[in-house]
Amino acid sequence: MGRIHRVGWVVILFFLLMVQPAFSAHSAFSPLLGQEVLTGIGNISVIRVSIDANINAVGTVHTKMVLKFPTTSVYLLAKRIYPSPYVMLRDLLIQNADTIVKNADVKYRDSDRSIVMEADIVGQVVNKQGVWEFYVGKDADLIWRNNEIAIFAMISYSRSNAVVSYLKVRLPDRAYDISYDDTDRVLTYNMPREKVPSQIVTSVRTKLTVKPRVMSATYKIYGDPEFHDGYYWVARSEVVNTGNSNIYNLTIRYKMEGYCNWSEPHTYHVVVPGETLVDLYYPVIPSKVTKLMTRTPTMVEMKYTYKDEKGQLHTGYRHKRLHILGINQFEFSNIPIEERTGSWMDSFSNMPLLAAWVTHLDPVVKKFAGMASQLAGGVVTSSRNKDAIKFCNAVYDLMRGNNMVYQTPSSTFLTEYVPEQDVKYPRDTLRDKGGTCVDLSILYAATCETEGLRTLLISIPGHVFPVIILPEGGILPVEVTAISGAALNKPSVKSFSFAVAVKVAQKEIRRLRQGLYYVVDVEKMWREGVVSPELPPLDSDVLQKWGYKLVSPKKGREMKESKTSPRANAAGITGVWQGVGRNTSGGASRITMKLRQVGNNVTGSCILTPGGSGTVKGIVQGSRVKLVAYFMGVNGSFQIVFEGTIKGRTIVGRWYSPGSSVNGTFSLQRG
């Protein structure tokens, strides 16, 4: 099987980052996905990508990629998400785990709303038993080929966006026996064998890179080369044939001292002069690492052998130290220090792995969820929003009623990078009756997942809070630290009610800023392989031993809100409004708003088809109304402002998206 260079996947990743919807009922929520980019209501926005890949005689590929955006607003959004264009190059190319990017140059080109990237990629084309293999990508279709050039097309769509890509591969001089396997999407070719020089020089240059730390809690992902496209390798070897003749039967093996014996050899039959090979180590780590309580050092060793033109065997070794973190220790970033840009997201790139701490199958968590279910009256959470919310309320009240508290973390918590941080499992938080925002959010998420409610963990600088996906659609964010008044800067208040906890979390969602948060889709990460570690059994009555009782708290404090004069308004707009929004070029989307007016203030929800869903806040003054719809995506949030006039059962006016040139008209009818 050839090396995988995901040219097609690269385009899809960029497409997902930039144009897929985020907080709609059927979206996939993860750090790899982004927000719906509203480049014109109802229009199909097309991002055009051209890729030139020139392969030299030793398999190094000089790649030039140009991404051209359809509108200034989409282009500016890309620049906001990636202030440093190098980060985009790293995200799109370097995360192909079995390739190494060198001589990279990337820049924004404002003159034509495009991003231009150039780099030399080694390890992308591999010589397998004398046949060179280039994996093009599962989404690529060959549209033209001769003995020098192959051209591929890739087209991807969402509801209102498309990426159209063209890949031109220029083969090396003297390539022959060129073929393309349409099933495996692999382009292959042969090269004539060079004449063996009269004076043979045999030498190789090797480099071993080892991740400085691995987490025992997530030990299973390191043995899975498919997880996150192979990005969680433990060791990577770079072998360069620096001699003037071929080397043969190069084999590479690894071992992790004290944990993994020598791996099966990876064999490369021929390595030509000047060729670079990239080899990865995915150790199947034994479960005994889950017994580690603190950081433990070990050694990763690499052994390589090969034969020269005369059949003589050569052997070499490399080794580097690795630390295995204790079962509660979390490594916040997997990006090598030399590749970090100083951004918050770089320092906390491992946040999705928090899903391993959400131990919903732990019997202790199941018993706690059972108590919450009793407190909620035995409701079935999987069918109706009303019942799901009642259960979520009961979980919060059960935590408050048993005097669980918020514990203040260090001043640098989730704001500055530290190598590792202790994170509690739900059983630990239950035992201690307290934890940080991360600990409390994980307990809350695990309890809800036990009852079949899909959960997200939202991570922002200095904070984490859970969001529940309701069964009939919609979201329920909960500021679970509100079980302690001190968490909301109200130390004189013991705790706040569930209604306040929800209201505070809703405000936090509206304040999300691009590049400063992660959305961890717990169930999605489980499906991809981030599973919980094995934890030791506890007594069946441990909750009783820890003092848990089926009690509700006394009525929690409600937050005082500024009061608006309840001036009577004959044009009350409570109800369902439906209609059409059009942009300046005539494109259209359906609009559905569910609004509730109290005094002059308006709240509610908004659905654009196509587009996504969001929340609404606004104000009514006489016959004039201003509504602001907030849409949230993993890499940032955006708004649409509707300003109009109420005319009986109709609202008509104009809309615009702040910070962009996108605008148009709308008309709504009361349902």
Side-chain angles (χ1 to χ4, degrees):
M1 183 175 178
R3 290 285 178 185
I4 298 177
H5 174 65
R6 298 176 179 82
V7 173
W9 177 84
V10 161
V11 176
I12 298 303
L13 172 61
F14 184 81
F15 175 62
L16 291 173
L17 284 169
M18 298 303 299
V19 302
Q20 286 291 329
F23 254 161
S24 62
H26 304 290
S27 298
F29 302 90
S30 84
L32 293 182
L33 298 183
Q35 68 184 34
E36 180 81 12
V37 178
L38 191 65
T39 61
I41 294 181
N43 275 356
I44 293 291
S45 299
V46 178
I47 297 175
R48 301 184 183 277
V49 182
S50 63
I51 308 168
D52 289 315
N54 297 323
I55 307 173
N56 70 12
V58 296
T60 300
V61 183
H62 180 77
T63 301
K64 180 176 181 180
M65 182 185 299
V66 179
L67 298 94
K68 189 168 183 179
F69 296 91
T71 66
T72 301
S73 60
V74 182
Y75 176 65
L76 293 177
L77 175 61
K79 294 184 73 171
R80 287 199 299 270
I81 294 174
Y82 291 98
S84 169
Y86 170 77
V87 179
M88 181 180 293
L89 176 69
R90 186 197 66 207
D91 288 351
L92 299 188
L93 295 179
I94 293 179
Q95 288 201 32
N96 292 329
D98 48 7
T99 64
I100 296 175
V101 177
K102 299 184 176 182
N103 306 318
D105 179 53
V106 56
K107 55 193 174 186
Y108 291 109
R109 195 164 64 189
D110 294 342
S111 60
D112 61 350
R113 301 189 305 270
S114 64
I115 300 171
V116 181
M117 308 181 199
E118 289 195 62
D120 293 320
I121 304 175
V122 297
Q124 174 177 354
V125 181
V126 176
N127 186 345
K128 306 289 281 188
Q129 295 183 306
V131 178
W132 294 85
E133 297 184 355
F134 175 86
Y135 178 81
V136 178
K138 65 179 181 179
D139 304 291
D141 292 312
L142 178 66
I143 59 175
W144 187 82
R145 176 178 71 81
N146 63 14
N147 290 331
E148 298 177 352
I149 295 174
I151 298 177
F152 301 86
M154 292 161 276
I155 303 176
S156 303
Y157 296 95
S158 75
R159 289 173 299 180
S160 57
N161 301 275
V163 175
V164 177
S165 310
Y166 291 96
L167 166 66
K168 181 171 73 173
V169 179
R170 182 176 293 277
L171 298 168
D173 295 339
R174 300 191 298 160
Y176 67 96
D177 285 348
I178 302 160
S179 65
Y180 178 66
D181 188 325
D182 190 58
T183 301
D184 294 335
R185 302 292 203 245
V186 175
L187 181 67
T188 61
Y189 61 92
N190 286 308
M191 293 291 291
R193 180 174 178 178
E194 299 293 339
K195 183 179 179 181
V196 178
S198 57
Q199 186 173 355
I200 296 175
V201 177
T202 302
S203 65
V204 298
R205 183 176 70 248
T206 61
K207 178 181 178 181
L208 177 65
T209 302
V210 173
K211 296 289 178 66
R213 288 166 290 274
V214 298
M215 292 182 279
S216 58
T218 58
Y219 73 94
K220 296 176 183 179
I221 69 171
Y222 302 108
D224 183 2
E226 300 301 318
F227 175 69
H228 201 47
D229 297 292
Y231 189 57
Y232 283 88
W233 49 267
V234 170
R236 180 175 68 189
S237 297
E238 183 179 353
V239 181
V240 185
N241 183 351
T242 55
N244 64 359
S245 59
N246 294 347
I247 62 174
Y248 301 94
N249 296 323
L250 169 68
T251 64
I252 301 175
R253 305 177 72 188
Y254 305 86
K255 73 173 182 179
M256 185 185 297
E257 189 176 277
Y259 297 94
C260 302
N261 293 324
W262 285 108
S263 63
E264 291 296 316
H266 299 167
T267 301
Y268 303 88
H269 297 280
V270 182
V271 184
V272 302
E275 183 182 355
T276 300
L277 282 173
V278 179
D279 190 82
L280 301 172
Y281 179 39
Y282 297 97
V284 179
I285 302 174
S287 62
K288 68 179 183 179
V289 297
T290 62
K291 304 296 191 293
L292 299 176
M293 302 305 295
T294 60
R295 183 174 59 178
T296 303
T298 184
M299 195 72 70
V300 173
E301 188 170 0
M302 183 269 280
K303 176 183 179 181
Y304 64 94
T305 64
Y306 65 90
K307 290 184 178 181
D308 60 22
E309 288 280 3
K310 297 179 180 179
Q312 183 178 350
L313 183 66
H314 300 255
T315 302
Y317 295 87
R318 292 286 183 271
H319 64 272
K320 280 196 173 181
R321 189 172 299 278
L322 166 75
H323 285 92
I324 304 175
L325 300 185
I327 189 64
N328 283 95
Q329 293 178 309
F330 188 79
E331 163 74 350
F332 280 109
S333 179
N334 195 49
I335 299 175
I337 293 176
E338 63 273 14
E339 294 178 13
R340 292 185 198 150
T341 63
S343 71
W344 179 83
M345 294 193 77
D346 274 8
S347 296
F348 297 93
S349 63
N350 269 347
M351 293 306 291
L353 301 187
L354 278 178
W357 270 255
V358 184
T359 54
H360 69 305
L361 298 179
D362 188 339
V364 182
V365 178
K366 289 184 176 181
K367 287 182 180 296
F368 187 72
M371 294 177 68
S373 182
Q374 281 184 267
L375 196 60
V379 295
V380 178
T381 63
S382 60
S383 57
R384 297 196 305 169
N385 285 3
K386 179 180 178 181
D387 293 335
I389 293 171
K390 189 174 183 180
F391 174 79
C392 292
N393 193 338
V395 175
Y396 182 85
D397 283 349
L398 188 62
M399 295 169 70
R400 291 174 58 217
N402 283 277
N403 299 314
M404 194 170 289
V405 296
Y406 166 68
Q407 296 171 343
T408 306
S410 66
S411 61
T412 60
F413 185 64
L414 290 179
T415 58
E416 298 177 12
Y417 172 76
V418 291
E420 66 261 4
Q421 180 88 35
D422 279 355
V423 175
K424 295 179 181 180
Y425 293 94
R427 55 167 54 189
D428 304 327
T429 305
L430 289 169
R431 178 198 62 211
D432 299 341
K433 289 194 174 181
T436 66
C437 59
V438 177
D439 305 328
L440 295 173
S441 296
I442 287 173
L443 169 61
Y444 196 87
T447 307
C448 291
E449 286 285 355
T450 296
E451 293 296 310
L453 291 173
R454 182 182 172 196
T455 62
L456 314 173
L457 296 173
I458 311 295
S459 173
I460 59 178
H463 192 46
V464 171
F465 62 95
V467 172
I468 311 305
I469 306 299
L470 297 173
E472 295 178 297
I475 61 172
L476 179 70
V478 181
E479 181 44 75
V480 70
T481 65
I483 60 172
S484 292
L488 302 186
N489 297 317
K490 299 285 185 180
S492 61
V493 179
K494 183 178 180 180
S495 67
F496 288 99
S497 70
F498 180 70
V500 170
V502 171
K503 187 177 296 184
V504 171
Q506 289 172 336
K507 291 180 180 178
E508 289 167 340
I509 283 182
R510 289 195 291 269
R511 289 197 297 263
L512 293 175
R513 295 169 55 198
Q514 290 173 346
L516 289 177
Y517 67 93
Y518 279 100
V519 177
V520 182
D521 182 335
V522 173
E523 291 187 13
K524 182 176 186 295
M525 298 310 297
W526 288 344
R527 290 193 299 271
E528 292 184 1
V530 183
V531 295
S532 301
E534 297 81 0
L535 298 175
L538 297 174
D539 293 341
S540 60
D541 61 347
V542 70
L543 285 180
Q544 287 72 26
K545 291 179 178 178
W546 289 342
Y548 280 87
K549 298 178 180 179
L550 196 65
V551 293
S552 295
K554 294 180 181 179
K555 186 176 180 181
R557 280 282 296 275
E558 302 295 333
M559 297 282 280
K560 290 184 179 180
E561 299 193 30
S562 58
K563 296 183 178 180
T564 304
S565 174
R567 182 159 54 103
N569 193 321
I573 61 172
T574 296
V576 178
W577 296 77
Q578 295 179 321
V580 176
R582 301 183 185 278
N583 66 9
T584 51
S585 61
S589 276
R590 296 289 303 171
I591 303 173
T592 300
M593 290 191 185
K594 294 182 180 180
L595 304 176
R596 181 172 181 265
Q597 181 178 342
V598 178
N600 291 337
N601 297 320
V602 180
T603 58
S605 62
C606 176
I607 299 175
L608 299 179
T609 308
S613 60
T615 60
V616 173
K617 292 188 71 175
I619 190 168
V620 175
Q621 294 180 326
S623 62
R624 298 290 298 170
V625 61
K626 181 177 181 178
L627 304 172
V628 183
Y630 300 87
F631 296 84
M632 199 275 284
V634 173
N635 286 301
S637 57
F638 64 96
Q639 304 173 13
I640 300 177
V641 179
F642 298 86
E643 294 182 344
T645 302
I646 304 167
K647 299 179 179 179
R649 300 178 63 84
T650 303
I651 303 176
V652 295
R654 298 194 61 81
W655 65 267
Y656 62 91
S657 181
S660 75
S661 59
V662 182
N663 65 89
T665 60
F666 74 94
S667 175
L668 301 176
Q669 298 284 332
R670 188 190 292 270

